[in-house]
């Protein structure tokens, strides 16, 4: 009756069941893994956002496969203002989410059974997207040694004749590591030599922890590159469903990729008019919301470091950007069991490392956008349980 591609385990895992049970019992949980900014007390100006969605032009249907030109021009203006990059709006395809952008690119590049190289550890969503596109994921490791690096030797060895692309998350979720200039050069050589594309997820690009702007991939021309981003993180507006994929690289390849992506987008026409017409306003909200978020990231990270100073058995790993931090804790039980124990003994919710495919036990992932009072109290409770 049902396809193999949806043959997933449908029952909730043990941690999810424990959270549901705790909430059903009335237990107040301090969520140190919150990823939704609208649930973390971080919201753009609601009056301005809602007014932008009431544009009368939304009553006129103007189907544009790449997205309305005014919306694509707003995205180009964001890159010019925030990253000093001139991006041709014709290189953009608007989508309702980065997940949809991934699905477009997977369909563009891959036949059933082809392979995509994906970083490990990284975000678990890739598995579902790959399943739905009949694509096989092949992991390549990120190594930690006073910071995170791509294991380039393992990546080269992982590539086969069926490999079609390399996914980069810049900065990575949850490691918070940016792709270095040297790594970019090596990856471009690898992609050119082996006929691979780069798929680069830059949703957290703007959130460097030292405040210095980071180079993005929208102008990468040495290999065919698809750069994904959207207002979910840029403006803390995940509910507005506005994202995009920008294509760069050798001119002939970019032109053909763009033409094919346009047909894919035209087949679905998923973008709605009110959000596209509101795009300039939604993107401008970043100017107010990003300073607030950066202050929160700095405040929570400083609080974490303060509390860790008295707990020599626990340490946070180095991060450069993004909303998450990885803790190394004593590996006396599985990360999943520890997360459940924290929930039951301390009423604190965290993500175990295995959610992100950490190869070893002893890792927890925390969100730095948690409200500061909850973060301070939650970390204190957590360390009482895991710190010795």
């Amino acid at each position: 009756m049902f396809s193999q591609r949806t043959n997933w385990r449908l029952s909730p895992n043990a941690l999810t069941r424990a959270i549901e049970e705790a909430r059903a019992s009335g237990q107040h949980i301090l969520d140190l893994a919150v990823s939704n900014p609208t649930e973390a007390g971080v919201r753009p100006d609601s009056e301005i956002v809602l007014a932008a969605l009431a544009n009368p032009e939304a009553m006129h249907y103007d189907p544009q496969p790449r997205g309305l030109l005014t919306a694509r021009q707003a995205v180009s203006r964001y890159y010019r203002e925030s990253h000093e990059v001139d991006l041709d709006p014709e290189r953009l395809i608007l989508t309702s989410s980065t997940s949809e952008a991934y699905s477009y690119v997977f369909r563009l590049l891959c036949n059933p059974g082809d392979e995509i190289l994906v970083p490990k550890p990284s975000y678990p969503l890739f598995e579902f997207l790959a399943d739905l596109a009949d694509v096989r994921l092949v992991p390549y490791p990120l190594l930690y040694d006073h910071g995170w690096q791509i294991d380039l030797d393992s990546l080269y060895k992982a590539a086969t004749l069926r490999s079609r692309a390399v996914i980069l998350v810049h900065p990575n979720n949850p490691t918070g590591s940016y792709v270095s200039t040297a790594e970019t050069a090596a990856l471009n050589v690898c992609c050119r030599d082996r006929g691979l594309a780069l798929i680069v997820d830059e949703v957290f690009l703007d959130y460097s922890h030292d405040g210095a702007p980071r180079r993005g991939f929208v102008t990468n021309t040495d290999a065919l590159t698809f750069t994904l981003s959207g207002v979910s993180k840029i403006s803390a507006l995940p509910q507005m469903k506005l994202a995009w994929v920008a294509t760069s690289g050798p001119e002939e390849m970019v032109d053909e990729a763009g033409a094919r992506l346009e047909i894919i987008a035209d087949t679905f026409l998923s973008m709605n008019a009110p959000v596209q017409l509101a795009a300039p306003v939604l993107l401008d909200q970043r100017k107010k919301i990003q300073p607030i978020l950066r202050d929160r990231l700095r405040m929570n990270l400083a609080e974490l470091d303060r509390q860790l100073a008295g707990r020599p058995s626990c340490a946070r790993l180095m991060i450069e950007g993004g909303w998450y931090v990885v803790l190394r804790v004593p590996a006396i039980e599985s990360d999943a069991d520890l997360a459940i124990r924290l929930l039951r003994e301390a009423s604190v919710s965290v993500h175990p490392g295995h959610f992100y495919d950490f190869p070893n036990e002893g890792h927890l992932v925390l969100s730095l956008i948690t409200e500061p009072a909850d973060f301070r109290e939650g970390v204190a409770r957590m360390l009482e349980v895991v710190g010795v």
Side-chain angles (χ1 to χ4, degrees), residues 19-289:
I19 292 173
E20 291 172 350
E21 291 168 2
R23 287 174 175 161
S25 70
Q27 182 179 346
H28 176 64
I29 301 170
L30 295 178
D31 189 357
L32 298 190
V34 61
S35 60
N36 181 352
T38 69
E39 298 299 319
V42 181
R43 297 185 182 91
D45 191 307
S46 60
E47 290 187 8
I48 292 175
V49 170
L50 293 174
L53 294 171
N55 191 325
E57 284 298 311
M59 298 305 295
H60 174 65
Y61 183 46
D62 181 18
Q64 297 292 328
R66 292 177 182 264
L68 294 178
L69 179 59
T70 55
R72 287 183 282 124
Q73 288 172 333
V75 175
S76 296
R77 186 162 55 251
Y78 152 72
Y79 280 104
R80 186 168 57 253
E81 293 175 352
S82 293
H83 299 284
E84 299 182 348
V85 166
D86 288 323
L87 177 61
D88 184 350
E90 293 305 307
R91 298 289 179 92
L92 286 164
I93 299 282
L94 301 186
T95 63
S96 60
S97 64
T98 52
S99 295
E100 186 175 57
Y102 274 115
S103 72
Y104 284 8
V105 177
F106 285 0
R107 292 294 187 184
L108 171 71
L109 297 175
C110 299
N111 292 314
D114 282 345
E115 299 171 353
I116 300 286
L117 304 178
V118 61
K120 181 179 179 179
S122 194
Y123 194 57
L125 179 67
F126 295 137
E127 296 177 12
F128 294 94
L129 294 173
D131 285 344
L132 290 172
D134 298 322
V135 171
R136 179 171 175 262
L137 294 182
V138 176
Y140 66 87
L142 304 181
L143 304 178
Y144 187 79
D145 183 10
H146 298 87
W148 293 94
Q149 297 91 34
I150 297 173
D151 186 344
L152 291 166
D153 185 56
S154 293
L155 186 149
Y156 299 152
K157 291 177 180 177
T160 71
L161 293 177
R162 299 217 65 172
S163 301
R164 294 292 177 264
V166 178
I167 288 179
L168 305 173
V169 186
H170 179 67
N172 184 272
N173 173 14
T175 67
S177 52
Y178 287 95
V179 181
S180 71
T181 301
E183 288 170 336
T184 300
L187 286 162
N188 279 329
V189 171
C190 177
C191 288
R192 287 199 309 268
D193 290 347
R194 298 179 179 239
L196 304 175
L198 288 175
I199 305 172
V200 188
D201 187 328
E202 292 188 345
V203 295
F204 291 111
L205 180 66
D206 293 350
Y207 296 97
S208 63
H209 286 272
D210 61 6
R214 290 304 200 278
R215 166 200 52 79
F217 279 78
V218 291
T219 56
N220 188 54
T221 58
D222 289 345
L224 181 61
T225 304
F226 302 94
T227 303
L228 285 57
S229 193
V231 301
S232 174
K233 305 303 186 297
I234 288 174
S235 299
L237 286 167
Q239 71 276 36
M240 291 303 153
K241 312 310 294 179
L242 173 60
W244 56 83
V245 54
T247 309
S248 61
E251 197 69 29
E252 289 185 6
M253 299 176 74
V254 168
D255 290 343
E256 182 168 1
R260 292 177 180 231
L261 279 172
E262 183 171 337
I263 293 175
I264 295 172
D266 193 28
T267 302
F268 292 97
L269 284 176
S270 66
M271 284 299 298
N272 68 79
V275 166
Q276 291 190 76
L277 292 167
V281 172
L282 301 182
L283 282 161
D284 275 351
Q285 284 296 299
R286 75 186 188 279
K287 298 171 183 176
K288 295 181 179 179
I289 205 69

Side-chain angles (χ1 to χ4, degrees), residues 352-368:
H354 82 85
F355 275 14
Y356 303 87
D357 280 336
F358 277 84
N360 304 309
E361 303 291 351
H363 297 93
L364 299 177
V365 177
L366 311 183
S367 167
L368 292 171

